[in-house]
Amino acid sequence: QVQLVETGGGLVQAGGSLRLSCAASGRTYRRAMGWFRQAPGKEREFVAAITWIGGSTIYADSVKGRFTISGDNAKNTVYLQMSSLKPEDTAVYYCAANVRLRGAVGPSVNEYDFWGQGTQVTVSS
């Protein structure tokens, strides 16, 4: 089992910045960590992911150049630095962990095994 706790959400004006954190505990092996978001009435969508060994990253086109995912192995924490925020970034943001030994690390929710409870990000215009 992996427990994930997200923090750092809040209300910010358009153009502003926020940094989300996701602290992981439980089993130590992780293939990758990801961030997803879900707006009211919409499906959960991929934001970014990072492989835990090597630090390779992937991003959704909608956040490229504005968001940065990073990880701190010593703290078992993954971060999402969000800049130039837009009202359409408003959503509940979820952290997720992929603990599989092999396979793709990508944008599908099905590739992640454990999820946090989410943190609300609201961007006002």
Side-chain angles (χ1 to χ4, degrees), residues 6 20 33-39 43-49 58 69 80 91-97 106-115 118-119:
E6 304 99 332
L20 304 183
M33 299 288 292
W35 285 98
F36 289 74
R37 65 188 183 187
Q38 189 166 17
E43 292 188 353
R44 192 168 297 190
E45 66 172 5
F46 172 76
V47 176
I58 55 172
I69 188 171
L80 186 69
V92 177
Y93 282 70
Y94 296 91
C95 175
S108 172
V109 296
N110 296 321
E111 294 171 6
Y112 296 85
D113 307 293
F114 297 97
W115 295 82
T119 185

Side-chain angles (χ1 to χ4, degrees), residues 3-122:
Q3 293 77 42
L4 303 171
V5 179
E6 304 99 332
T7 56
L11 174 64
V12 64
Q13 289 188 333
S17 300
L18 278 177
R19 188 177 80 155
L20 304 183
S21 299
C22 173
S25 60
R27 60 189 294 183
T28 57
Y29 172 76
R30 257 152 257 138
R31 182 173 181 80
M33 299 288 292
W35 285 98
F36 289 74
R37 65 188 183 187
Q38 189 166 17
K42 295 187 176 181
E43 292 188 353
R44 192 168 297 190
E45 66 172 5
F46 172 76
V47 176
I50 184 169
T51 58
W52 211 239
I53 298 175
S56 298
T57 58
I58 55 172
Y59 295 92
D61 287 344
S62 59
V63 306
K64 278 182 183 176
R66 300 189 299 122
F67 291 11
T68 302
I69 188 171
S70 62
D72 186 329
N73 287 346
K75 295 182 178 180
N76 281 322
T77 300
V78 63
Y79 304 98
L80 186 69
Q81 177 67 49
M82 305 184 294
S83 302
S84 301
L85 283 161
K86 306 174 182 180
E88 50 264 44
D89 294 318
T90 295
V92 177
Y93 282 70
Y94 296 91
C95 175
N98 174 321
V99 300
R100 302 168 197 188
L101 297 178
R102 59 183 62 85
V105 174
S108 172
V109 296
N110 296 321
E111 294 171 6
Y112 296 85
D113 307 293
F114 297 97
W115 295 82
Q117 82 289 348
T119 185
Q120 177 71 46
V121 172
T122 303

